[in-house]
């Protein structure tokens, strides 16, 4: 379900891309979590589960870091693309694709077998979000890390309002699922409080909460593409705002990192 490009970090002296604006914060947090887990275990290669990992936009970069990644996704086409992408990146031996979903997760993977679980763009679509998070947690080893990324309610309300769709914005604000109407392609959205409660209720300690795509979806593309230095500056702004609770309420997506108690 998740099909997002890994970001390129400006702070490491590299040139950012348009795609990096959407996931820079997530990748930085995830990479640090994997590094921390590797140091804590003394193992360079971790076992990572990417549930709903699509064609491997996070899985392949994680494999490039030397980790073994299992991608569970319901789409055969996505898994075929994953296989091709992993082969092109030279990490086919470290990436495994399995057809399945969050509900029947343990039909295809083992419980307690992973150092980290990526649960990106899945919670919006599962019938029971609490069950989905519990399954992700049960896949973790003690002290393992859960990376949860889901659609934010406030970002959708703000986007509809700025587009002049005021009735739809009000509908999203009032709807229990955060949907703005019948044509809304996203089945469910969340606040930061809802996500942290789901993660906490599943037995994890909350390590961090970040707002993702606070500004990136609102700034005109022409401005970013034509103004010298604008892309770099916008990426730095996204990074600075991501940790501020004041901006969680208007982020397009919300990212929660949790750790399983050891």
């Amino acid at each position: 379900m998740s099909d997002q490009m890994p970001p390129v970090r400006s702070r490491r002296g590299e040139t950012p891309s348009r795609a990096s604006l959407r996931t820079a914060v997530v990748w930085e947090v995830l990479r640090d979590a994997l590094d921390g887990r590797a140091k804590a275990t003394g193992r360079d290669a971790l076992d990572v589960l990417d549930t709903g990992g699509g064609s491997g936009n996070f899985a392949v970069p994680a494999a490039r870091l030397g980790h073994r990644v299992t991608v569970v996704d319901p789409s055969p086409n996505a898994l075929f693309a994953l296989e091709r992408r992993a082969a092109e990146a030279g990490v086919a031996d470290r990436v495994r694709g399995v057809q399945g979903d969050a509900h029947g997760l343990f039909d295809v993977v083992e419980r307690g077998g992973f150092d980290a679980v990526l649960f990106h763009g899945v919670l919006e679509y599962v019938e029971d979000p609490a069950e989905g998070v519990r399954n992700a947690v049960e896949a973790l080893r003690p002290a393992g890390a859960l990376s949860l990324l889901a659609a934010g309610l406030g970002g959708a309300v703000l986007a509809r309002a700025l587009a002049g769709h005021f009735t739809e914005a009000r509908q999203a604000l009032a709807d229990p699922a955060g949907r703005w109407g019948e044509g809304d392609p996203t089945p469910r959205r969340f606040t930061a409080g809802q996500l942290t409660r789901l993660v906490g209720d599943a037995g994890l300690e909350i390590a961090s909460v970040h707002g993702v795509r606070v500004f990136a979806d609102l700034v005109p593309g022409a401005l970013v593409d034509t103004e010298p230095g604008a892309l770099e500056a916008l990426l730095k702004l996204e990074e600075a705002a991501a940790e501020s609770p004041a901006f969680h309420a208007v982020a397009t997506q919300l990212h929660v990192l949790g750790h399983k108690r050891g």
Side-chain angles (χ1 to χ4, degrees):
M1 295 176 186
S2 174
D3 194 31
Q4 303 168 4
M5 294 296 295
V8 178
R9 300 294 296 157
S10 62
R11 71 178 64 178
R12 300 183 187 274
E14 299 169 337
T15 302
S17 66
R18 286 280 294 175
S20 73
L21 287 171
R22 298 180 177 272
T23 53
V25 171
V26 179
W27 181 248
E28 182 72 10
V29 173
L30 177 59
R31 181 163 49 190
D32 288 349
L34 293 174
D35 288 347
R37 177 67 174 164
K39 291 176 182 176
T41 60
R43 292 185 283 113
D44 293 332
L46 301 177
D47 294 303
V48 179
L49 173 64
D50 190 353
T51 303
S55 59
N57 286 312
F58 276 96
V60 169
R64 284 198 190 108
L65 296 178
H67 305 304
R68 297 178 292 267
V69 187
T70 298
V71 176
V72 175
D73 197 279
S75 169
N77 290 337
L79 293 174
F80 178 77
L82 167 70
E83 183 179 356
R84 184 178 59 215
R85 176 175 287 181
E88 291 172 351
V91 295
D93 59 329
R94 293 196 293 273
V95 176
R96 179 173 72 104
V98 181
Q99 190 171 0
D101 56 31
H103 176 69
L105 187 60
F106 301 115
D107 293 335
V108 294
V109 301
E110 63 176 310
R111 296 177 189 269
F114 299 91
D115 297 287
V117 173
L118 282 58
F119 209 63
H120 297 172
V122 176
L123 206 60
E124 300 92 325
Y125 298 92
V126 297
E127 185 175 339
D128 184 345
E131 179 195 37
V133 174
R134 285 194 302 269
N135 283 352
V137 172
E138 288 182 21
L140 286 170
R141 292 170 177 154
L146 172 67
S147 175
L148 174 64
L149 181 68
L153 170 62
V157 174
L158 184 61
R160 301 315 290 174
L162 291 178
H165 303 300
F166 307 121
T167 300
E168 291 179 350
R170 189 171 50 133
Q171 171 65 20
L173 194 59
D175 185 65
R179 304 185 74 239
W180 46 256
E182 291 297 324
D184 192 338
T186 302
R188 189 182 290 107
R189 295 185 177 88
F190 301 87
T191 65
Q194 289 171 330
L195 290 180
T196 54
R197 280 194 296 275
L198 284 168
V199 172
D201 289 347
L204 296 190
E205 296 178 353
I206 307 297
S208 65
V209 181
H210 290 85
V212 179
R213 292 157 59 184
V214 176
F215 304 104
D217 293 349
L218 302 177
V219 175
L223 174 64
V224 176
D225 294 336
T226 59
E227 289 293 323
L231 187 60
E232 175 82 12
L234 181 56
L235 179 54
K236 290 180 178 179
L237 178 60
E238 287 281 350
E239 294 168 352
E243 296 187 33
S244 173
F247 290 101
H248 294 169
V250 294
T252 298
Q253 293 178 306
L254 294 163
H255 183 251
V256 178
L257 181 72
H259 290 291
K260 192 171 185 177
R261 293 176 175 86

